[in-house]
Amino acid sequence: MKNEIVNKHDAVFKEVFSQKRIAKDFIENNIPKEALDIIDTNSMELIKDTFINKELQGSFSDLIYEVKINNRDAYICFLLEHKSYRDKLTIFQLNKYILEAWTAVIQKENREELPIILPIVVYHGEKEWSIKTDLRDMIPEFYELPEYFKDRIPVFGYDLINIGKSGRIDFKKFNKLTALMLTAFRDAFEKDLKTVLREFLLAVEEAEKEEGEEAIRYYVEIYIRYIENIHRDLTEEDIEGEIEKLGGKGAVTMSILQKREEKGKQEGKREGKREGKQEGIKEIAKNLLKEGIEIAFVAKTTGLSKSEVEKLKEEI
């Protein structure tokens, strides 16, 4: 069950952050200006590589962008944190991740210079993230040590972006579409479905002020599938009921639900719902494949068989 939930988060995380506009918006609103000044975010290109080895698979999934930093090739790695608890070993696991990445780059490209690799950990757990994000802060009085010791003690830190309920991130600083999808992650563990639906519908309404109908429909579909998979007792009637309470808001969402209902009537209500969800999963798989994600990972995160994913790849 735990792996099933992780895979659902994984699939949506990959689907959302593989959209360059969202990844770019996320970076530009979370990285200090002095760093942004030398990062060419317009040069960002999603790559299909992963630096996750078997040991790290239970802890993170990653999405990697190649980017120019100071006019040199570098990488920005989004890592979704899987664990439901705050593990003090996280900083060492991330250090292994960076070492694996550097090793892969040197072996693959036969070069001696190391590229900058910027790890950004995205956390949306229920609990506050209280563990250290900088190795130097784990060593008592590190900053008072003589330079001799500072030069010989490994230094490692990472950016922790907490978008969960315990986080204090301001969604207003993002564009409305990014805020919409971050709302989905933030409310992933919210037990009150009325709160989940209300926040979702209000976020959609805000996004409609900036985005065209096609983009809104695309992301609302992702959002609905996500909350339906996480909250198994959620029904379309629940969503429609909350839309009615908002006094006419949520027209796009209602339209999507109505189309689902029409499809369900044609194929039989139960079968229609099952097929609708299955088609949604296939659409996610196709989008991941278009972004160069490997077949094995797509099969794992969507629950489709390897042969089904291979067939989908042929259709693209």
Side-chain angles (χ1 to χ4, degrees):
M1 181 67 179
K2 180 182 176 182
N3 287 337
E4 182 183 356
I5 291 176
V6 165
N7 287 343
K8 287 167 185 171
H9 291 312
D10 247 11
V12 176
F13 171 73
K14 294 265 186 185
E15 174 83 357
V16 171
F17 279 86
S18 64
Q19 307 298 315
K20 180 178 174 179
R21 61 181 299 188
I22 288 183
K24 184 173 179 287
D25 186 36
F26 195 77
I27 290 168
E28 291 177 345
N29 282 286
N30 284 301
I31 301 299
K33 184 180 184 304
E34 62 179 0
L36 280 175
D37 285 344
I38 64 169
I39 298 175
D40 180 7
T41 54
N42 291 322
S43 71
M44 289 172 56
E45 292 294 338
L46 185 69
I47 62 174
K48 65 179 181 179
D49 294 335
T50 176
F51 299 140
I52 298 287
N53 60 22
K54 288 184 179 180
E55 183 183 350
L56 296 175
Q57 282 177 354
S59 301
F60 307 100
S61 61
D62 64 347
L63 201 64
I64 305 171
Y65 280 89
E66 193 168 26
V67 67
K68 294 291 184 182
I69 297 181
N70 247 354
N71 295 317
R72 293 181 179 273
D73 291 338
Y75 299 94
I76 295 177
C77 306
F78 290 101
L79 295 111
L80 179 66
E81 209 276 345
H82 289 330
K83 296 184 289 295
S84 59
Y85 59 94
R86 295 151 296 171
D87 190 349
K88 291 181 179 179
L89 295 180
T90 297
I91 197 164
F92 304 111
Q93 293 165 339
L94 282 167
N95 205 350
K96 288 181 181 178
Y97 175 86
I98 297 295
L99 292 174
E100 288 278 348
W102 276 333
T103 301
V105 168
I106 290 173
Q107 289 179 338
K108 183 177 175 181
E109 302 178 17
N110 193 28
R111 54 195 263 194
E112 296 182 3
E113 294 181 341
L114 294 176
I116 292 175
I117 297 176
L118 181 63
I120 299 176
V121 177
V122 181
Y123 174 69
H124 65 131
E126 298 176 87
K127 298 180 180 178
E128 184 76 37
W129 187 277
S130 56
I131 60 177
K132 306 295 185 184
T133 59
D134 192 320
L135 195 61
R136 292 170 291 188
D137 295 333
M138 300 179 71
I139 300 173
E141 301 178 354
F142 173 88
Y143 298 98
E144 283 72 49
L145 290 172
E147 291 301 318
Y148 175 86
F149 292 105
K150 290 182 182 179
D151 290 342
R152 286 157 179 77
I153 296 174
V155 174
F156 180 76
Y158 60 94
D159 288 294
L160 186 281
I161 313 298
N162 185 354
I163 56 175
K165 284 292 185 181
S166 63
R168 293 174 178 81
I169 188 169
D170 181 11
F171 285 14
K172 292 180 181 178
K173 65 185 180 181
F174 299 104
N175 69 50
K176 303 302 184 185
L177 200 56
T178 303
L180 169 65
M181 299 317 301
L182 293 182
T183 300
F185 287 114
R186 184 196 65 190
D187 294 341
F189 302 104
E190 172 62 58
K191 295 179 175 59
D192 184 354
L193 286 180
K194 288 185 178 180
T195 298
V196 172
L197 292 174
R198 182 174 180 81
E199 291 297 318
F200 157 57
L201 292 168
L202 291 175
V204 172
E205 184 193 21
E206 286 298 308
E208 287 176 333
K209 296 175 182 177
E210 292 184 354
E211 300 294 330
E213 185 175 338
E214 185 177 350
I216 292 295
R217 284 183 175 277
Y218 175 75
Y219 286 99
V220 167
E221 282 276 15
I222 295 173
Y223 200 139
I224 291 176
R225 289 198 301 268
Y226 184 53
I227 60 177
E228 281 181 335
N229 281 325
I230 300 302
H231 302 279
R232 288 301 182 91
D233 51 346
L234 177 69
T235 66
E236 291 183 1
E237 287 75 18
D238 291 329
I239 301 175
E240 291 171 359
E242 288 302 313
I243 291 175
E244 290 174 4
K245 291 178 185 177
L246 291 176
K249 298 174 183 176
V252 172
T253 307
M254 183 66 84
S255 173
I256 291 171
L257 295 176
Q258 288 171 345
K259 284 189 175 181
R260 280 182 167 197
E261 187 176 351
E262 289 170 7
K263 185 175 182 180
K265 287 179 180 178
Q266 292 172 357
E267 302 176 1
K269 193 169 183 180
R270 289 187 180 179
E271 186 63 18
K273 284 187 177 181
R274 188 189 71 79
E275 288 294 332
K277 288 184 179 181
Q278 189 68 11
E279 285 301 314
I281 291 171
K282 288 181 179 179
E283 281 301 312
I284 288 178
K286 284 183 178 180
N287 286 325
L288 293 176
L289 289 169
K290 288 176 183 176
E291 296 297 338
I293 306 300
E294 294 180 352
I295 288 175
F297 187 87
V298 175
K300 179 182 175 182
T301 56
T302 60
L304 298 173
S305 68
K306 188 177 178 181
S307 60
E308 286 177 307
V309 176
E310 288 173 341
K311 186 176 179 180
L312 290 173
K313 189 171 184 179
E314 291 175 0
E315 295 173 4
I316 296 175

